Amino acid sequence: MEISVTLTNTPKQKPADESSLGFGKFFSDHMFIMEYEEGKGWMNPRIEPYHRLSLDPASSVLHYAQEIFEGLKAYRRADGSIVMFRPWDNCKRLNKSAERMCMPEIDVDFNVEAMRKLVEVEKDWVPHTEGTSLYLRPTMIANDEALGVHAAKRYIYYIICAPSGAYYPTGLAPIKIKVEDKYVRAVRGGMGFAKTGGNYACSIKAGADAGKEGFSQVLWLDGQELKYVQEVGAMNMMFLIDDKLVTAPLDGAILPGITRDSILTLARSEGITVEERRLSVDELMTAADNGHLREAFGTGTAAVVSPVGHLCYRDHMVQVNDGGIGKLTQHFYDTLTGIQWGKVEDRFNWIKPVC
Ligand SMILES: *Cc1c(COP(=O)(O)O)cnc(C)c1O
């Protein structure tokens, strides 16, 4: 399929101050879009001026949330070149989410090329300041104009771009998280591994309640026993217990993060013992009390790594690494961002040049 390009006649003013970009507040001039119809497949892929979608009020996505998305970044390097980080893994994960949600898959190479071409068209929208990036949000929605509950026959896939600010303008900053012991995010046989809006819709209340108590994220426990540690809002979690890096296994309830995989790959290549296993909250809190929990951090595309300074379960608050940034946490942050920014060798072929 050829991707046609129609450029805008009315380019927007780019935000002049890159330090106030924030996340997902501004959008670039163009978007990628194509439609799907059962029996015909994906059709009419094109890059065109950013525009609103026109949906029938009966459109199935609005009622039954048959929706999936992805999130990845394009970076401008010091030499002026623009690259993406592991985009094919986002495309593969999109297809896994699609399978779970009864949505059509998209050829991985085609999808990577759609992203690459869109970023190339939008290259002037990739911000320049160190730490900033152009965030891509690929999204697929069901679009049958009928109220029956079943897999839709029509879909829309689009990609929009948001120039985004540095996540840590003044360096890594530890966060305070609350172990959630009332609400759950994902259950066995559910859709925890899919990047789908419903997983977020059901998590907003817990996040809002924790926010009122002064926490920036909740740490989810498993949905059966409320016993085993899963992940936080949009990040997987890793714990350095003694000298072992412990993280929840990909059991279908957690999101298989690409940052998670990248850090586990780095850790193994450096001879660090990695344990992908169930970790109970009791074991975690005991390790913290006894001084065995040395570091804790979240991993995700937005922040890369996010150190945890405080962890609270019920009424028990523990400090991790004296509330500071762990050595290994900082090391993984420096290495991964170094690969993204071209300062550290790309040993695992994670970088996709854009232009
Ligand atoms: C996107 C996401 C992550 C992180 O995945 P990355 O590929 O590393 O960005 C973790 N957990 C949830 C729930 C997510 O939606």
Side-chain angles (χ1 to χ4, degrees):
M1 277 192 296
E2 266 306 301
I3 301 171
S4 68
V5 179
T6 309
L7 296 179
T8 181
N9 294 321
T10 52
K12 296 180 220 174
Q13 185 90 39
K14 294 186 183 62
D17 177 10
E18 291 191 349
S19 68
S20 63
L21 281 173
F23 172 72
K25 292 192 294 184
F26 302 97
F27 297 95
S28 66
D29 280 325
H30 301 89
M31 64 196 286
F32 172 90
I33 188 164
M34 62 180 178
E35 290 87 15
Y36 176 95
E37 241 182 85
E38 194 179 77
K40 293 187 184 163
W42 288 107
M43 307 175 276
N44 197 12
R46 58 207 187 271
I47 291 168
E48 58 188 24
Y50 189 98
H51 61 81
R52 292 191 173 164
L53 299 177
S54 172
L55 297 179
D56 192 278
S59 174
S60 35
V61 64
L62 303 176
H63 301 268
Y64 309 122
Q66 207 191 352
E67 183 265 3
I68 55 177
F69 65 95
E70 271 301 326
L72 68 160
K73 288 173 170 177
Y75 311 85
R76 184 187 300 278
R77 290 178 162 183
D79 65 2
S81 66
I82 296 171
V83 304
M84 292 189 287
F85 185 70
R86 304 186 67 175
W88 39 83
D89 291 297
N90 293 91
C91 296
K92 287 180 199 159
R93 186 170 66 190
L94 184 83
N95 283 345
K96 290 199 177 119
S97 300
E99 204 275 328
R100 177 64 182 83
M101 306 301 287
C102 286
M103 301 172 84
E105 297 187 2
I106 299 172
D107 179 81
V108 167
D109 292 336
F110 174 80
N111 204 359
V112 170
E113 175 56 16
M115 293 173 186
R116 193 206 61 80
K117 196 160 179 165
L118 178 61
V119 174
E120 188 175 33
V121 168
E122 298 299 56
K123 58 181 183 292
D124 293 343
W125 281 92
V126 184
H128 297 73
T129 316
E130 172 146 4
T132 60
S133 59
L134 187 67
Y135 181 81
L136 270 62
R137 172 52 61 90
T139 308
M140 194 194 297
I141 59 174
N143 191 29
D144 274 9
E145 298 173 357
L147 296 180
V149 182
H150 49 68
K153 294 179 166 52
R154 300 173 60 182
Y155 296 85
I156 302 173
Y157 176 66
Y158 59 87
I159 309 170
I160 52 177
C161 307
S164 294
Y167 199 88
Y168 297 114
T170 55
L172 282 181
I175 56 168
K176 233 169 131 172
I177 59 177
K178 174 191 165 185
V179 181
E180 177 59 53
D181 66 345
K182 180 174 169 195
Y183 302 107
V184 297
R185 170 184 176 274
V187 293
R188 191 191 310 141
M191 56 186 194
F193 70 89
K195 220 167 169 71
T196 181
N199 284 334
Y200 284 80
C202 80
S203 74
I204 289 172
K205 173 106 175 99
D209 289 358
K212 281 182 213 145
E213 298 165 36
F215 298 98
S216 59
Q217 301 269 352
V218 302
L219 174 55
W220 299 106
L221 297 177
D222 73 281
Q224 281 79 45
E225 300 173 70
L226 284 165
K227 185 170 169 188
Y228 298 101
V229 168
Q230 290 187 327
E231 60 178 320
V232 302
M235 288 191 287
N236 297 111
M237 279 300 303
M238 303 212 177
F239 304 94
L240 184 66
I241 301 178
D242 293 322
D243 53 2
K244 296 190 183 83
L245 192 61
V246 182
T247 193
L250 300 180
D251 60 357
I254 68 163
L255 208 286
I258 293 163
T259 319
R260 173 190 183 279
D261 182 74
S262 304
I263 287 177
L264 295 185
T265 301
L266 285 175
R268 287 185 174 118
S269 80
E270 294 171 5
I272 296 166
T273 304
V274 170
E275 292 184 349
E276 293 178 71
R277 64 165 173 94
R278 298 211 294 182
L279 171 67
S280 73
V281 63
D282 290 336
E283 179 187 346
L284 178 64
M285 297 309 279
T286 305
D289 286 336
N290 298 342
H292 294 288
L293 176 64
R294 293 162 59 199
E295 301 185 23
F297 57 95
T299 72
T301 294
V304 183
V305 306
S306 193
V308 174
H310 290 83
L311 191 62
C312 186
Y313 179 50
R314 298 190 172 144
D315 292 325
H316 188 37
M317 173 90 84
V318 294
Q319 237 188 21
V320 187
N321 197 42
D322 299 323
I325 300 151
K327 250 197 189 148
L328 195 66
T329 308
Q330 184 75 49
H331 166 71
F332 285 138
Y333 180 79
D334 293 343
T335 308
L336 258 195
T337 55
I339 293 171
Q340 290 163 346
W341 296 92
K343 294 173 187 163
V344 172
E345 191 202 342
D346 175 24
R347 285 191 289 145
F348 304 100
N349 291 318
W350 286 337
I351 296 300
K352 165 81 185 170
V354 170
C355 56

